[in-house]
Amino acid sequence: NVFSFDEEKAFIAAVEKAAEVNGNAASELGDAATVVDLREDQILDLRRQGFDDRTIALRIGLSLQTVRRYLRRSLMKDLSGTGNGTAR
């Protein structure tokens, strides 16, 4: 398992909260946008904690390229202020 017990509990709580916000049961969470948002939030949270790209990728189980894509997308959202996060 990549997560510690506390991290796993926090992730499950975030999924359940997102499910409540979207009006879905946590067990029926299939909305790709919600999963992407949760993954992006998790990556940004780990970044705020001081982890580098490679460590984040290993902890979450994504490729380094994918982690960097999420970080770039988040940066573009912040810079543009539009929230669409289109980064190339």
Side-chain angles (χ1 to χ4, degrees), residues 66-79:
T66 302
V67 168
R68 287 181 175 159
R69 185 180 312 126
Y70 279 113
L71 291 169
R72 187 173 54 245
R73 184 181 302 158
S74 174
L75 179 63
M76 292 302 290
K77 283 182 190 177
D78 290 344
L79 292 176

Side-chain angles (χ1 to χ4, degrees), residues 17-41:
K17 182 177 178 183
E20 289 173 11
V21 168
N22 289 324
N24 299 327
S27 62
E28 297 174 4
L29 185 63
D31 186 8
T34 302
V35 173
V36 167
D37 289 342
L38 286 172
R39 186 177 285 167
E40 184 175 354
D41 290 344

